[in-house]
Amino acid sequence: MTRRSTSWLDRVSGTISAALEHRHIPIERLLGMVKAGRGGSDSPPVSINFIFQRTFIENRQYSDFTLIDLPSLPAGAIYDLNFFMVERPDGWRFSCQFNTDQFEADTANRLLRYFQAALHSAVENPAWRVSQLRLDDPAQSKALLQAVNNQPTEARAI
């Protein structure tokens, strides 16, 4: 690993460790502590949450029943965008819940594809800075810009 990626991973590791130390704090109290109330002049236009966790249930056969770790069904998005990555016995699951008043399913799916492409890019190019990671290929960027702007646009590297 290069110095850049090691430094970044150290910072991420520190942030995750700090978050895990405070995992027992109820979300309502935590949001109050960081003044994350909605509607004020200092409130963000979009609330985004990212959850990364390992499963805590191991599939196991007991004498008269089997315990199977299944993905939970969401009660609804408490954030405008809620990304979660969970390690399950059969592999990683990465999903996105979203506020349907603010986002369309195509947008959420595109964001998931961007994240997947960024991970692939990081694995293929471990010396790259985060700002250098690819979210999609230039042709897809150009098509998206044309659709949004409804006019031809030159694609730039992301």
Short mmCIF file of all heavy atoms in Angstrom, two decimals, residues 51 70-79 82-84 86 88 93 95-99:
data_model
loop_
_atom_site.label_atom_id
_atom_site.label_comp_id
_atom_site.label_asym_id
_atom_site.label_seq_id
_atom_site.Cartn_x
_atom_site.Cartn_y
_atom_site.Cartn_z
N ILE A 51 -23.86 3.56 6.79
CA ILE A 51 -23.71 2.53 7.82
C ILE A 51 -22.84 1.41 7.25
O ILE A 51 -23.07 0.94 6.14
CB ILE A 51 -25.09 1.96 8.22
CG1 ILE A 51 -25.99 3.05 8.77
CG2 ILE A 51 -24.93 0.81 9.22
CD1 ILE A 51 -27.43 2.62 8.93
N LEU A 70 -31.01 -13.05 7.86
CA LEU A 70 -31.67 -12.51 6.68
C LEU A 70 -31.59 -10.99 6.69
O LEU A 70 -31.60 -10.38 7.75
CB LEU A 70 -33.15 -12.93 6.66
CG LEU A 70 -33.43 -14.41 6.53
CD1 LEU A 70 -34.92 -14.68 6.70
CD2 LEU A 70 -32.95 -14.93 5.19
N PRO A 71 -31.55 -10.38 5.52
CA PRO A 71 -31.58 -8.90 5.47
C PRO A 71 -32.87 -8.38 6.12
O PRO A 71 -33.94 -8.94 5.94
CB PRO A 71 -31.56 -8.59 3.98
CG PRO A 71 -31.04 -9.82 3.32
CD PRO A 71 -31.45 -10.97 4.21
N SER A 72 -32.73 -7.32 6.88
CA SER A 72 -33.90 -6.73 7.52
C SER A 72 -34.66 -5.85 6.52
O SER A 72 -34.08 -5.32 5.58
CB SER A 72 -33.48 -5.90 8.73
OG SER A 72 -32.59 -4.89 8.32
N LEU A 73 -35.94 -5.73 6.75
CA LEU A 73 -36.75 -4.84 5.92
C LEU A 73 -36.77 -3.47 6.57
O LEU A 73 -37.05 -3.35 7.77
CB LEU A 73 -38.16 -5.39 5.77
CG LEU A 73 -38.27 -6.72 5.05
CD1 LEU A 73 -39.70 -7.23 5.09
CD2 LEU A 73 -37.79 -6.59 3.62
N PRO A 74 -36.47 -2.43 5.81
CA PRO A 74 -36.42 -1.09 6.39
C PRO A 74 -37.82 -0.58 6.76
O PRO A 74 -38.80 -0.89 6.10
CB PRO A 74 -35.81 -0.24 5.28
CG PRO A 74 -36.14 -0.97 4.03
CD PRO A 74 -36.16 -2.43 4.39
N ALA A 75 -37.86 0.20 7.83
CA ALA A 75 -39.12 0.81 8.24
C ALA A 75 -39.39 2.08 7.44
O ALA A 75 -40.47 2.64 7.50
CB ALA A 75 -39.06 1.15 9.72
N GLY A 76 -38.42 2.53 6.68
CA GLY A 76 -38.52 3.76 5.92
C GLY A 76 -37.25 4.56 6.11
O GLY A 76 -36.52 4.36 7.07
N ALA A 77 -36.98 5.45 5.20
CA ALA A 77 -35.75 6.23 5.25
C ALA A 77 -35.86 7.33 6.30
O ALA A 77 -36.73 8.18 6.21
CB ALA A 77 -35.44 6.82 3.88
N ILE A 78 -34.97 7.30 7.31
CA ILE A 78 -34.96 8.38 8.29
C ILE A 78 -34.01 9.49 7.85
O ILE A 78 -33.99 10.56 8.45
CB ILE A 78 -34.59 7.88 9.70
CG1 ILE A 78 -33.22 7.21 9.69
CG2 ILE A 78 -35.64 6.93 10.22
CD1 ILE A 78 -32.70 6.85 11.08
N TYR A 79 -33.24 9.23 6.81
CA TYR A 79 -32.36 10.22 6.19
C TYR A 79 -32.80 10.38 4.75
O TYR A 79 -33.44 9.49 4.18
CB TYR A 79 -30.90 9.76 6.24
CG TYR A 79 -30.38 9.60 7.64
CD1 TYR A 79 -30.41 8.36 8.28
CD2 TYR A 79 -29.87 10.68 8.35
CE1 TYR A 79 -29.94 8.21 9.57
CE2 TYR A 79 -29.40 10.54 9.64
CZ TYR A 79 -29.44 9.30 10.24
OH TYR A 79 -28.98 9.17 11.52
N ASN A 82 -29.72 7.08 2.76
CA ASN A 82 -29.18 6.22 3.78
C ASN A 82 -28.51 5.03 3.10
O ASN A 82 -29.18 4.14 2.59
CB ASN A 82 -30.30 5.73 4.72
CG ASN A 82 -29.77 4.94 5.88
OD1 ASN A 82 -28.67 5.17 6.36
ND2 ASN A 82 -30.55 3.98 6.35
N PHE A 83 -27.18 5.05 3.03
CA PHE A 83 -26.42 3.97 2.43
C PHE A 83 -26.02 3.00 3.54
O PHE A 83 -25.60 3.43 4.61
CB PHE A 83 -25.14 4.50 1.77
CG PHE A 83 -25.41 5.42 0.63
CD1 PHE A 83 -25.37 6.79 0.80
CD2 PHE A 83 -25.71 4.92 -0.63
CE1 PHE A 83 -25.61 7.65 -0.26
CE2 PHE A 83 -25.95 5.76 -1.69
CZ PHE A 83 -25.90 7.13 -1.50
N PHE A 84 -26.16 1.72 3.29
CA PHE A 84 -25.70 0.77 4.28
C PHE A 84 -25.02 -0.41 3.60
O PHE A 84 -25.46 -0.91 2.58
CB PHE A 84 -26.79 0.33 5.25
CG PHE A 84 -28.09 -0.10 4.62
CD1 PHE A 84 -28.37 -1.43 4.41
CD2 PHE A 84 -29.02 0.85 4.25
CE1 PHE A 84 -29.57 -1.83 3.84
CE2 PHE A 84 -30.23 0.47 3.69
CZ PHE A 84 -30.50 -0.88 3.48
N VAL A 86 -23.48 -4.11 4.64
CA VAL A 86 -23.52 -5.12 5.69
C VAL A 86 -22.85 -6.39 5.19
O VAL A 86 -23.15 -6.87 4.10
CB VAL A 86 -24.99 -5.43 6.09
CG1 VAL A 86 -25.05 -6.46 7.19
CG2 VAL A 86 -25.72 -4.16 6.48
N ARG A 88 -22.65 -10.17 5.27
CA ARG A 88 -23.51 -11.32 5.57
C ARG A 88 -22.69 -12.60 5.33
O ARG A 88 -21.65 -12.55 4.70
CB ARG A 88 -24.72 -11.31 4.63
CG ARG A 88 -25.56 -10.05 4.76
CD ARG A 88 -26.84 -10.38 5.47
NE ARG A 88 -27.64 -9.19 5.62
CZ ARG A 88 -28.07 -8.76 6.78
NH1 ARG A 88 -27.78 -9.41 7.87
NH2 ARG A 88 -28.80 -7.69 6.88
N ARG A 93 -23.53 -6.87 1.32
CA ARG A 93 -24.75 -6.29 0.75
C ARG A 93 -24.65 -4.78 0.89
O ARG A 93 -24.40 -4.25 1.97
CB ARG A 93 -25.95 -6.82 1.52
CG ARG A 93 -27.26 -6.23 1.08
CD ARG A 93 -28.41 -6.88 1.84
NE ARG A 93 -29.50 -5.92 1.92
CZ ARG A 93 -30.13 -5.60 3.03
NH1 ARG A 93 -29.80 -6.18 4.15
NH2 ARG A 93 -31.09 -4.73 3.02
N SER A 95 -26.74 -1.26 0.00
CA SER A 95 -28.06 -0.78 -0.39
C SER A 95 -28.21 0.70 -0.10
O SER A 95 -27.38 1.29 0.59
CB SER A 95 -29.15 -1.54 0.38
OG SER A 95 -29.05 -2.91 0.17
N CYS A 96 -29.29 1.26 -0.59
CA CYS A 96 -29.58 2.66 -0.36
C CYS A 96 -31.08 2.83 -0.16
O CYS A 96 -31.88 2.40 -0.99
CB CYS A 96 -29.13 3.50 -1.55
SG CYS A 96 -29.52 5.25 -1.39
N GLN A 97 -31.44 3.45 0.97
CA GLN A 97 -32.80 3.90 1.19
C GLN A 97 -32.80 5.39 0.86
O GLN A 97 -31.79 6.05 1.06
CB GLN A 97 -33.22 3.73 2.65
CG GLN A 97 -33.27 2.31 3.12
CD GLN A 97 -33.52 2.25 4.62
OE1 GLN A 97 -33.15 3.14 5.36
NE2 GLN A 97 -34.14 1.18 5.05
N PHE A 98 -33.93 5.91 0.39
CA PHE A 98 -33.95 7.32 0.03
C PHE A 98 -35.33 7.92 0.21
O PHE A 98 -36.33 7.22 0.19
CB PHE A 98 -33.46 7.52 -1.41
CG PHE A 98 -34.26 6.74 -2.43
CD1 PHE A 98 -35.33 7.33 -3.09
CD2 PHE A 98 -33.94 5.43 -2.72
CE1 PHE A 98 -36.07 6.62 -4.02
CE2 PHE A 98 -34.67 4.71 -3.65
CZ PHE A 98 -35.73 5.31 -4.31
N ASN A 99 -35.33 9.20 0.42
CA ASN A 99 -36.57 9.96 0.55
C ASN A 99 -37.15 10.12 -0.85
O ASN A 99 -36.57 10.79 -1.70
CB ASN A 99 -36.26 11.32 1.18
CG ASN A 99 -37.48 12.17 1.36
OD1 ASN A 99 -38.49 11.99 0.69
ND2 ASN A 99 -37.38 13.13 2.27
#
